[in-house]
mmCIF file of all heavy atoms in Angstrom:
data_model
loop_
_atom_site.group_PDB
_atom_site.id
_atom_site.type_symbol
_atom_site.label_atom_id
_atom_site.label_comp_id
_atom_site.label_asym_id
_atom_site.label_seq_id
_atom_site.Cartn_x
_atom_site.Cartn_y
_atom_site.Cartn_z
ATOM 1 N N SER A 1 13.441 9.948 -7.831
ATOM 2 C CA SER A 1 14.415 10.500 -6.895
ATOM 3 C C SER A 1 13.974 10.419 -5.451
ATOM 4 O O SER A 1 14.765 10.049 -4.545
ATOM 5 C CB SER A 1 14.677 11.989 -7.257
ATOM 6 O OG SER A 1 15.558 12.583 -6.331
ATOM 7 N N LEU A 2 12.682 10.603 -5.169
ATOM 8 C CA LEU A 2 12.195 10.496 -3.834
ATOM 9 C C LEU A 2 12.268 9.036 -3.350
ATOM 10 O O LEU A 2 12.603 8.711 -2.181
ATOM 11 C CB LEU A 2 10.815 11.003 -3.706
ATOM 12 C CG LEU A 2 10.119 10.912 -2.352
ATOM 13 C CD1 LEU A 2 10.928 11.705 -1.262
ATOM 14 C CD2 LEU A 2 8.712 11.490 -2.406
ATOM 15 N N GLU A 3 11.947 8.129 -4.250
ATOM 16 C CA GLU A 3 11.981 6.688 -3.899
ATOM 17 C C GLU A 3 13.417 6.348 -3.500
ATOM 18 O O GLU A 3 13.616 5.651 -2.491
ATOM 19 C CB GLU A 3 11.562 5.852 -5.077
ATOM 20 C CG GLU A 3 10.126 5.989 -5.481
ATOM 21 C CD GLU A 3 9.795 5.230 -6.736
ATOM 22 O OE1 GLU A 3 10.656 4.504 -7.259
ATOM 23 O OE2 GLU A 3 8.650 5.388 -7.240
ATOM 24 N N LEU A 4 14.374 6.739 -4.313
ATOM 25 C CA LEU A 4 15.795 6.400 -3.987
ATOM 26 C C LEU A 4 16.265 7.111 -2.714
ATOM 27 O O LEU A 4 16.999 6.493 -1.934
ATOM 28 C CB LEU A 4 16.701 6.847 -5.181
ATOM 29 C CG LEU A 4 16.494 6.038 -6.486
ATOM 30 C CD1 LEU A 4 17.372 6.623 -7.601
ATOM 31 C CD2 LEU A 4 16.797 4.564 -6.290
ATOM 32 N N ALA A 5 15.850 8.320 -2.457
ATOM 33 C CA ALA A 5 16.244 9.033 -1.298
ATOM 34 C C ALA A 5 15.747 8.343 -0.011
ATOM 35 O O ALA A 5 16.451 8.223 0.981
ATOM 36 C CB ALA A 5 15.753 10.501 -1.310
ATOM 37 N N ARG A 6 14.544 7.841 -0.103
ATOM 38 C CA ARG A 6 13.970 7.129 1.043
ATOM 39 C C ARG A 6 14.632 5.797 1.294
ATOM 40 O O ARG A 6 14.958 5.379 2.444
ATOM 41 C CB ARG A 6 12.455 6.955 0.890
ATOM 42 C CG ARG A 6 11.671 8.164 1.189
ATOM 43 C CD ARG A 6 10.186 7.971 0.950
ATOM 44 N NE ARG A 6 9.424 9.138 1.387
ATOM 45 C CZ ARG A 6 8.180 9.364 1.029
ATOM 46 N NH1 ARG A 6 7.579 8.554 0.145
ATOM 47 N NH2 ARG A 6 7.522 10.425 1.454
ATOM 48 N N LEU A 7 14.922 5.081 0.174
ATOM 49 C CA LEU A 7 15.644 3.821 0.314
ATOM 50 C C LEU A 7 16.993 4.045 0.916
ATOM 51 O O LEU A 7 17.444 3.299 1.831
ATOM 52 C CB LEU A 7 15.767 3.159 -1.097
ATOM 53 C CG LEU A 7 14.472 2.533 -1.640
ATOM 54 C CD1 LEU A 7 14.688 2.079 -3.072
ATOM 55 C CD2 LEU A 7 14.011 1.376 -0.778
ATOM 56 N N ARG A 8 17.702 5.060 0.482
ATOM 57 C CA ARG A 8 19.041 5.385 1.036
ATOM 58 C C ARG A 8 18.999 5.741 2.487
ATOM 59 O O ARG A 8 19.781 5.324 3.343
ATOM 60 C CB ARG A 8 19.695 6.461 0.218
ATOM 61 C CG ARG A 8 20.175 6.047 -1.168
ATOM 62 C CD ARG A 8 20.563 7.211 -2.053
ATOM 63 N NE ARG A 8 21.510 8.035 -1.402
ATOM 64 C CZ ARG A 8 22.834 7.862 -1.335
ATOM 65 N NH1 ARG A 8 23.335 6.787 -2.040
ATOM 66 N NH2 ARG A 8 23.681 8.666 -0.765
ATOM 67 N N PHE A 9 17.970 6.547 2.826
ATOM 68 C CA PHE A 9 17.817 6.995 4.229
ATOM 69 C C PHE A 9 17.477 5.850 5.135
ATOM 70 O O PHE A 9 18.021 5.665 6.207
ATOM 71 C CB PHE A 9 16.756 8.038 4.310
ATOM 72 C CG PHE A 9 16.485 8.548 5.699
ATOM 73 C CD1 PHE A 9 17.384 9.285 6.416
ATOM 74 C CD2 PHE A 9 15.235 8.182 6.317
ATOM 75 C CE1 PHE A 9 17.110 9.721 7.713
ATOM 76 C CE2 PHE A 9 14.975 8.617 7.610
ATOM 77 C CZ PHE A 9 15.934 9.383 8.321
ATOM 78 N N ASN A 10 16.542 4.963 4.686
ATOM 79 C CA ASN A 10 16.157 3.818 5.487
ATOM 80 C C ASN A 10 17.256 2.783 5.594
ATOM 81 O O ASN A 10 17.348 2.041 6.615
ATOM 82 C CB ASN A 10 14.916 3.130 4.888
ATOM 83 C CG ASN A 10 13.673 3.977 5.036
ATOM 84 O OD1 ASN A 10 13.623 4.820 5.916
ATOM 85 N ND2 ASN A 10 12.700 3.802 4.169
ATOM 86 N N ALA A 11 18.134 2.735 4.608
ATOM 87 C CA ALA A 11 19.253 1.825 4.707
ATOM 88 C C ALA A 11 20.465 2.397 5.453
ATOM 89 O O ALA A 11 21.457 1.729 5.654
ATOM 90 C CB ALA A 11 19.745 1.483 3.252
ATOM 91 N N GLY A 12 20.383 3.654 5.847
ATOM 92 C CA GLY A 12 21.447 4.283 6.646
ATOM 93 C C GLY A 12 22.525 4.915 5.805
ATOM 94 O O GLY A 12 23.549 5.369 6.456
ATOM 95 N N VAL A 13 22.387 4.973 4.526
ATOM 96 C CA VAL A 13 23.445 5.527 3.705
ATOM 97 C C VAL A 13 23.112 6.934 3.163
ATOM 98 O O VAL A 13 23.923 7.588 2.488
ATOM 99 C CB VAL A 13 23.824 4.633 2.526
ATOM 100 C CG1 VAL A 13 24.396 3.289 2.989
ATOM 101 C CG2 VAL A 13 22.558 4.392 1.671
ATOM 102 N N GLY A 14 21.866 7.357 3.405
ATOM 103 C CA GLY A 14 21.451 8.716 3.067
ATOM 104 C C GLY A 14 21.057 9.563 4.274
ATOM 105 O O GLY A 14 21.096 9.064 5.394
ATOM 106 N N THR A 15 20.652 10.792 4.014
ATOM 107 C CA THR A 15 20.344 11.702 5.092
ATOM 108 C C THR A 15 18.888 12.178 4.962
ATOM 109 O O THR A 15 18.307 12.040 3.863
ATOM 110 C CB THR A 15 21.307 12.908 5.111
ATOM 111 O OG1 THR A 15 21.072 13.679 3.862
ATOM 112 C CG2 THR A 15 22.745 12.443 5.218
ATOM 113 N N GLN A 16 18.397 12.693 6.092
ATOM 114 C CA GLN A 16 17.070 13.303 6.049
ATOM 115 C C GLN A 16 16.999 14.472 5.109
ATOM 116 O O GLN A 16 15.947 14.700 4.530
ATOM 117 C CB GLN A 16 16.692 13.688 7.461
ATOM 118 C CG GLN A 16 15.255 14.224 7.633
ATOM 119 C CD GLN A 16 14.229 13.139 7.481
ATOM 120 O OE1 GLN A 16 14.517 11.949 7.410
ATOM 121 N NE2 GLN A 16 12.991 13.546 7.420
ATOM 122 N N THR A 17 18.086 15.142 4.989
ATOM 123 C CA THR A 17 18.109 16.318 4.065
ATOM 124 C C THR A 17 17.897 15.863 2.679
ATOM 125 O O THR A 17 17.164 16.568 1.886
ATOM 126 C CB THR A 17 19.485 17.026 4.176
ATOM 127 O OG1 THR A 17 19.726 17.439 5.545
ATOM 128 C CG2 THR A 17 19.576 18.222 3.291
ATOM 129 N N ASP A 18 18.416 14.714 2.298
ATOM 130 C CA ASP A 18 18.192 14.218 0.955
ATOM 131 C C ASP A 18 16.692 13.956 0.672
ATOM 132 O O ASP A 18 16.145 14.241 -0.356
ATOM 133 C CB ASP A 18 18.986 12.933 0.704
ATOM 134 C CG ASP A 18 20.492 13.176 0.761
ATOM 135 O OD1 ASP A 18 20.857 14.332 0.458
ATOM 136 O OD2 ASP A 18 21.225 12.267 1.064
ATOM 137 N N VAL A 19 16.014 13.344 1.708
ATOM 138 C CA VAL A 19 14.626 13.044 1.586
ATOM 139 C C VAL A 19 13.783 14.357 1.528
ATOM 140 O O VAL A 19 12.900 14.469 0.666
ATOM 141 C CB VAL A 19 14.150 12.191 2.805
ATOM 142 C CG1 VAL A 19 12.644 11.945 2.666
ATOM 143 C CG2 VAL A 19 14.897 10.883 2.806
ATOM 144 N N ILE A 20 14.073 15.322 2.372
ATOM 145 C CA ILE A 20 13.337 16.556 2.312
ATOM 146 C C ILE A 20 13.549 17.246 1.031
ATOM 147 O O ILE A 20 12.596 17.837 0.378
ATOM 148 C CB ILE A 20 13.784 17.471 3.494
ATOM 149 C CG1 ILE A 20 13.361 16.834 4.813
ATOM 150 C CG2 ILE A 20 13.213 18.836 3.370
ATOM 151 C CD1 ILE A 20 13.885 17.573 6.057
ATOM 152 N N THR A 21 14.725 17.258 0.539
ATOM 153 C CA THR A 21 15.041 17.892 -0.786
ATOM 154 C C THR A 21 14.282 17.220 -1.877
ATOM 155 O O THR A 21 13.713 17.865 -2.797
ATOM 156 C CB THR A 21 16.535 17.829 -1.096
ATOM 157 O OG1 THR A 21 17.247 18.593 -0.051
ATOM 158 C CG2 THR A 21 16.824 18.539 -2.461
ATOM 159 N N ALA A 22 14.264 15.866 -1.877
ATOM 160 C CA ALA A 22 13.515 15.103 -2.922
ATOM 161 C C ALA A 22 12.009 15.375 -2.821
ATOM 162 O O ALA A 22 11.362 15.489 -3.843
ATOM 163 C CB ALA A 22 13.821 13.635 -2.793
ATOM 164 N N GLN A 23 11.483 15.437 -1.584
ATOM 165 C CA GLN A 23 10.049 15.802 -1.455
ATOM 166 C C GLN A 23 9.728 17.135 -2.011
ATOM 167 O O GLN A 23 8.723 17.341 -2.670
ATOM 168 C CB GLN A 23 9.647 15.698 0.028
ATOM 169 C CG GLN A 23 9.637 14.302 0.605
ATOM 170 C CD GLN A 23 9.357 14.228 2.097
ATOM 171 O OE1 GLN A 23 9.182 13.176 2.678
ATOM 172 N NE2 GLN A 23 9.363 15.427 2.735
ATOM 173 N N THR A 24 10.582 18.140 -1.702
ATOM 174 C CA THR A 24 10.411 19.495 -2.232
ATOM 175 C C THR A 24 10.417 19.536 -3.706
ATOM 176 O O THR A 24 9.558 20.163 -4.358
ATOM 177 C CB THR A 24 11.451 20.433 -1.630
ATOM 178 O OG1 THR A 24 11.406 20.427 -0.192
ATOM 179 C CG2 THR A 24 11.205 21.868 -2.071
#
């Protein structure tokens, strides 16, 4: 889930909130 959240964020289709949530 964290891998996908970072890929989405780096591609501009995800949010920082998604990454923080996945890290937590």
